[in-house]
Amino acid sequence: MKKTLLVIGAWFSSGAVCYVFAALFSQLVVLNELRRLGLDISMSDNLFSLAHAVLNMVPYMIVILIGFAIAFGVASVVKQSAARLSKVAYPVAGAAAMGTALWIMNLRFGVFPILGAQETYGLILQISAGGLGGLAFERLRPKRMAS
């Protein structure tokens, strides 16, 4: 029971890590594109928009948690059959979960609903946020105890 709670805590925490990076990366891409259009954005507007992104993309957090639950389950099976992949299984799974979720949203809506993922470098940053979330899971999850 305790181990299950620790795994759930690690899963939720890794989802939060991914979500914060994904929201920040998305907003930074949007701000960069606005600057490319010639808009002058103050530091306070930058900070406000970053905070707003983190606080207001909650449905994205739900998508991330669902994707991580599936991807980390698959990664745990892969780890058991391919020990060489054990250190990278969860980061790769997190990145794959983000890429897959964005791809499905694009198929469904005909566009990436995450504005910062519409540029190639923004999409790469979103996938990287998934990798960071997977790395957080790898570090936070309970390890097997030596007997």
Side-chain angles (χ1 to χ4, degrees):
M1 179 68 166
K2 182 180 177 184
K3 186 175 180 179
T4 301
L5 290 175
L6 291 173
V7 169
I8 291 170
W11 162 73
F12 189 81
S13 297
S14 67
V17 166
C18 176
Y19 169 75
V20 168
F21 276 107
L24 291 174
F25 288 163
S26 177
Q27 193 61 27
L28 288 170
V29 169
V30 170
L31 290 168
N32 186 56
E33 292 302 313
L34 290 172
R35 280 189 199 88
R36 284 182 45 189
L37 293 172
L39 268 62
D40 185 28
I41 303 168
S42 71
M43 181 60 80
S44 63
D45 287 342
N46 271 318
L47 294 174
F48 176 79
S49 69
L50 291 171
H52 186 270
V54 170
L55 296 173
N56 289 290
M57 293 177 69
V58 176
Y60 198 26
M61 174 72 165
I62 295 166
V63 169
I64 290 167
L65 288 172
I66 293 168
F68 275 13
I70 296 165
F72 294 164
V74 171
S76 69
V77 172
V78 169
K79 282 178 54 122
Q80 291 174 10
S81 60
R84 293 191 326 234
L85 301 176
S86 67
K87 295 289 186 201
V88 297
Y90 293 117
V92 169
M98 288 297 283
T100 302
L102 290 164
W103 175 68
I104 290 169
M105 287 188 276
N106 189 22
L107 286 176
R108 172 67 180 96
F109 301 114
V111 67
F112 292 113
I114 306 304
L115 194 57
Q118 293 183 6
E119 296 291 331
T120 302
Y121 75 98
L123 181 60
I124 291 168
L125 286 171
Q126 292 299 300
I127 292 168
S128 298
L132 291 170
L135 182 61
F137 185 78
E138 172 62 34
R139 306 286 256 160
L140 296 172
R141 71 183 177 82
K143 311 298 189 275
R144 287 193 177 187
M145 300 276 211
S147 7

